[in-house]
Amino acid sequence: GAGVSQSPSNKVTEKGKDVELRCDPISGHTALYWYRQSLGQGLEFLIYFQGNSAPDKSGLPSDRFSAERTGGSVSTLTIQRTQQEDSAVYLCASSWDRGGSPLHFGNGTRLTVT
Amino acid sequence: SQQGEEDPQALSIQEGENATMNCSYKTSINNLQWYRQNSGRGLVHLILIRSNEREKHSGRLRVTLDTSKKSSSLLITASRAADTASYFCATTSSGGYQKVTFGIGTKLQVIP
C-alpha cells in the first residue's frame, strides 16, 4: 500500500478483555516498530521487528503484551486482560532496515479500556 | 525509556517569528531525526542528521547537532499557523540493531 495502515483506528473494550491491534507496513520495509503514546506524552518504545524476528522486546510493559509479525509484513500487537492503564494510542511505524532510514508512521489505534 | 528530552515542552510564538526547539540525549547515536505530529496521531518525518554532520537545512528547517554535548536543535524560520504541532526528536542508537527512541516532544503553537 501507499502508507502504513493500522486497524482498528479506535477500539473501546472492557477491562479484562483481550484486544488485537493490526499493522500493515509499507511493502518492502523490513523494520517495524510499535510505540505507545499516552495523552499528551511522548512515544514509549514497545517492540522492534527485523523481518519476522524481534531482537528487542524490552519495551513491552508486562507479559500481558505480545506481538508477532508474519511473512515479514503484517504485525499484530495483542494485549491480554486489558487494564485501564493500557488506554493510549498505539502507533506502528516501518522503515528500510538500514542506517538513516526515516520511520513511516500509521495513524495509530486509539485504545480505550473502560 | 525516553532517550531524548526536548525543551521547551511548550512554545507559543507569533506568526512570522522563528521557533527553536532543543533536544538532549544520553547515549551514542547513529543519527538524530525530527518528527512532527498533528492531533496526537501519526508522526511525519521532517529531517535527519547523521552523527558526523553538524548542520542540515530543509526549506524553512535548520537542524544542528553537537555530539560532544549530546544535543540538537530544530529551528523553524518564518513560522506559519500551519506549523502548529508537536515536534519530537528521535535518536537511532549506534551499534547493534538500530533502535529508534523518541523524546517527550515540544508542543508549538503559532498564533496568526
Side-chain angles (χ1 to χ4, degrees):
Chain A
V4 177
S5 176
Q6 289 188 248
S7 60
S9 55
N10 286 284
K11 175 73 177 178
V12 180
T13 190
E14 290 180 356
K15 178 181 169 182
K17 296 278 176 73
D18 298 352
V19 294
E20 262 192 14
L21 312 181
R22 176 186 168 107
C23 173
D24 266 292
I26 291 173
S27 178
H29 279 189
T30 50
L32 187 145
Y33 298 79
W34 283 98
Y35 294 90
R36 177 169 73 172
Q37 186 177 32
S38 300
L39 188 63
Q41 301 298 309
L43 275 70
E44 176 188 3
F45 170 82
L46 297 179
I47 189 169
Y48 159 80
F49 285 94
Q50 185 178 64
N52 289 337
S53 64
D56 190 344
K57 304 178 184 179
S58 63
L60 294 176
S62 74
D63 58 8
R64 296 186 295 105
F65 287 72
S66 63
E68 64 174 15
R69 189 179 184 194
T70 53
S73 181
V74 172
S75 176
T76 54
L77 176 69
T78 302
I79 309 173
Q80 295 178 309
R81 305 180 303 281
T82 52
Q83 303 293 313
Q84 286 186 330
E85 61 262 28
D86 299 334
S87 296
V89 175
Y90 289 81
L91 292 162
C92 174
S94 69
S95 75
W96 298 110
D97 197 16
R98 58 174 182 256
S101 299
L103 271 58
H104 297 260
F105 279 85
N107 282 330
T109 293
R110 184 179 299 280
L111 175 66
T112 303
V113 182
T114 61
Chain B
S1 62
Q2 300 292 345
Q3 159 78 312
E5 296 282 339
E6 285 92 336
D7 120 75
Q9 291 191 24
L11 179 62
S12 183
I13 59 173
Q14 296 289 328
E15 201 165 31
E17 293 181 337
N18 295 342
T20 299
M21 289 161 267
N22 303 298
C23 168
S24 60
Y25 57 92
K26 298 187 175 83
T27 62
S28 296
I29 63 170
N30 179 296
N31 63 63
L32 186 144
Q33 306 176 45
W34 284 90
Y35 289 79
R36 167 194 168 124
Q37 183 181 41
N38 288 86
S39 307
R41 287 297 186 134
L43 281 72
V44 174
H45 178 260
L46 295 176
I47 194 167
L48 178 149
I49 186 165
R50 299 185 192 284
S51 59
N52 61 354
E53 297 176 310
R54 292 296 166 257
E55 188 170 313
K56 203 155 182 185
H57 297 253
S58 176
R60 294 184 295 112
L61 305 180
R62 172 177 168 255
V63 170
T64 61
L65 179 65
D66 186 335
T67 52
S68 66
K69 294 181 180 176
K70 291 187 166 58
S71 67
S72 172
S73 67
L74 171 68
L75 168 68
I76 304 174
T77 59
S79 63
R80 304 166 182 168
D83 294 329
T84 295
S86 290
Y87 292 82
F88 294 86
C89 71
T91 53
T92 304
S93 56
S94 59
Y97 86 90
Q98 294 168 46
K99 180 175 181 175
V100 181
T101 311
F102 285 78
I104 58 175
T106 292
K107 189 170 285 191
L108 173 67
Q109 181 184 29
V110 181
I111 302 165

